[in-house]
């Protein structure tokens, strides 16, 4: 097929699409100058792209004089994609156009009930129900959804799409969240990726890490993990295990996740409070949220606990820094996202103790980091599919 008129025409259409996505609204003459294609070639290709609903005419340009050219732009609403963050306590869903503009965002509680055999079916039904609801609210149907990107708090095996390990609250649901199960539950293409990897991608594309050649997204919440990007590419490693810092061992032989997770923070707080005489309001029904609020209010005990906790975070950051020497480390997750409290403590430790001192900042995207990355991989796959369709 290579070299045939149809093949060349399809190459031209993809070239024009790339130009419109990069440059925005353009006239046919602008496209010709940008791509080097002749004006008749551009006109023919644009008409075919209009027929495919991938570009649209926007009316005449605002010329000062002479004949006004008709402007063309990429049709970002030709199709839509979704990003879904399957978290230990929340399900987050984002609906996006093909420019990555999130047009709807919803959060739902994660509910795991009953025997695992039933829980698997229930979970898939629940996800499908949430998606149907979101589409109905936005007057869309499944024919308009090209791809869904899923983020999962576990290790996704690159070759099979199976889940090798998953955060404890979701243990037993590995099969339900496998690529095969999710693909069978939804009538569109599905991509499955580790959630922290997607958060790193989201921060790189439209968040705190935009433009950084080497950075680490360090997530601390129910679980602990890292996403590592080098020149815009995720590092995956053997079995997709790059960034599984939860498995690092600390001095007493415990896994890092046991120490830094939300449960680890609460155990540290409990041990501290058991050894000190502390006001009842801090001791009673303590949660990470209450602990950080107490620190913001200046309560000495809360600040002491988080100072100790920051030393433990810093130990992990030091190991990462001396091995990778990243330009930037981005903190995120339900615990790590409390940058107003943690960053001053950690930056002081870094400045005093680290031989390699990367910049340390907090996630810009917050709880939407994972769904933003999921949307990006779904868009990338959709655009690839549209290009391949043109070549067939």
């Amino acid at each position: 097929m290579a070299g045939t008129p149809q093949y060349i025409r399809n190459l031209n259409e993809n070239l024009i699409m790339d130009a419109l996505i990069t440059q925005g609204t353009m006239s046919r003459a602008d496209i010709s100058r940008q791509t080097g294609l002749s004006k008749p070639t551009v006109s023919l290709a644009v008409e075919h792209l209009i027929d495919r609903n991938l570009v649209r005419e926007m009316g005449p340009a605002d010329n000062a004089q002479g004949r006004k050219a008709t402007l063309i732009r990429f049709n970002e609403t030709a199709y839509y994609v979704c990003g879904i963050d399957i978290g230990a306590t929340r399900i987050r869903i984002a609906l996006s156009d093909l420019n990555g503009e999130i047009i709807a965002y919803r959060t739902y509680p994660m509910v795991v009930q009953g025997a695992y055999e039933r829980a698997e079916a229930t979970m898939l039904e629940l996800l499908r129900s949430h998606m149907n609801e979101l589409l109905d609210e936005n007057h869309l149907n499944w024919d308009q959804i090209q791809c869904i990107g899923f983020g999962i708090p576990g290790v996704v095996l690159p070759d099979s799409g199976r889940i090798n390990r998953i955060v404890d609250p979701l243990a037993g649901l590995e099969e339900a969240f496998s690529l095969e199960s999710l693909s069978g539950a939804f009538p569109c293409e599905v991509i499955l990726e580790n959630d922290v990897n997607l958060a790193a991608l989201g921060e790189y594309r439209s968040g705190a890490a935009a433009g950084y050649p080497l950075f680490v997204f360090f997530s601390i919440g129910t679980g602990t993990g890292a996403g590592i990007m080098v020149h815009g590419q995720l590092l995956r490693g053997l079995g997709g295990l790059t960034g599984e810092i939860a498995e690092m061992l600390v001095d007493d032989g415990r896994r890092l996740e046991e120490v830094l997770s939300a449960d680890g923070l609460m155990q540290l707080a409990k041990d501290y409070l058991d050894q000190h005489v502390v006001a009842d309001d801090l001791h009673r029904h303590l949660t990470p949220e209450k602990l950080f609020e107490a620190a913001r209010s200046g309560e000495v005990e809360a600040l002491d606990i988080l100072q100790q906790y920051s030393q433990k975070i810093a130990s992990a950051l030091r190991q990462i820094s001396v091995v990778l020497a990243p330009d930037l480390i981005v903190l995120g997750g339900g615990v790590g996202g409390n940058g107003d409290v943690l960053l001053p403590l950690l930056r002081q430790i870094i400045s005093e103790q680290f031989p390699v001192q990367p910049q340390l900042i907090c996630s810009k995207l917050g709880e939407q980091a994972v769904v933003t990355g999921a949307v990006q991989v779904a868009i990338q796959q959709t655009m690839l599919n549209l290009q391949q369709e043109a070549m067939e």
Side-chain angles (χ1 to χ4, degrees), residues 2-128:
T4 66
Q6 179 182 351
Y7 182 82
I8 294 172
R9 184 192 71 183
N10 293 337
L11 286 177
N12 293 339
E13 290 178 8
N14 289 337
L15 189 62
I16 291 170
M17 284 275 290
D18 289 341
L20 288 170
I21 292 171
T22 302
Q23 300 296 326
T25 303
M26 304 171 73
S27 69
R28 287 171 172 80
D30 292 334
I31 296 172
S32 178
R33 285 190 291 270
Q34 177 74 22
T35 63
L37 300 173
S38 68
K39 292 181 180 179
T41 297
V42 168
S43 293
L44 184 62
V46 165
E47 291 306 312
H48 190 240
L49 287 170
I50 291 174
D51 290 341
R52 295 177 63 197
N53 197 36
L54 294 179
V55 305
R56 56 185 178 182
E57 294 183 331
M58 301 301 297
D62 188 19
N63 299 42
Q65 59 184 3
R67 182 179 178 182
K68 297 184 184 297
T70 300
L71 294 177
I72 309 296
R73 66 170 292 166
F74 170 60
N75 182 13
E76 69 276 8
T77 60
Y79 298 102
Y80 297 85
V81 301
C82 282
I84 299 182
D85 173 12
I86 299 174
T89 61
R90 293 284 186 275
I91 298 170
R92 301 177 175 91
I93 304 179
L95 176 66
S96 168
D97 64 24
L98 295 183
N99 271 341
E101 183 74 23
I102 293 178
I103 61 175
Y105 174 75
R106 298 287 183 274
T107 63
Y108 305 91
M110 171 59 75
V111 181
V112 180
Q113 296 178 338
Y116 283 126
E117 294 77 8
R118 179 57 189 161
E120 291 181 10
T122 301
M123 188 56 60
L124 293 174
E125 291 168 3
L126 187 65
L127 290 172
R128 181 66 180 264

Side-chain angles (χ1 to χ4, degrees), residues 134-173:
L134 192 61
L135 295 184
D136 288 343
E137 289 175 359
N138 290 275
H139 309 291
L140 298 174
N141 58 61
W142 279 105
D143 290 339
Q144 295 168 278
I145 305 299
Q146 284 286 297
C147 186
I148 302 176
F150 283 89
I152 190 78
V155 177
V156 180
L157 298 177
D159 295 334
S160 65
R162 297 185 68 82
I163 298 172
N164 186 31
R165 62 186 72 170
I166 199 167
V167 71
D168 283 344
L170 301 181
L173 290 173

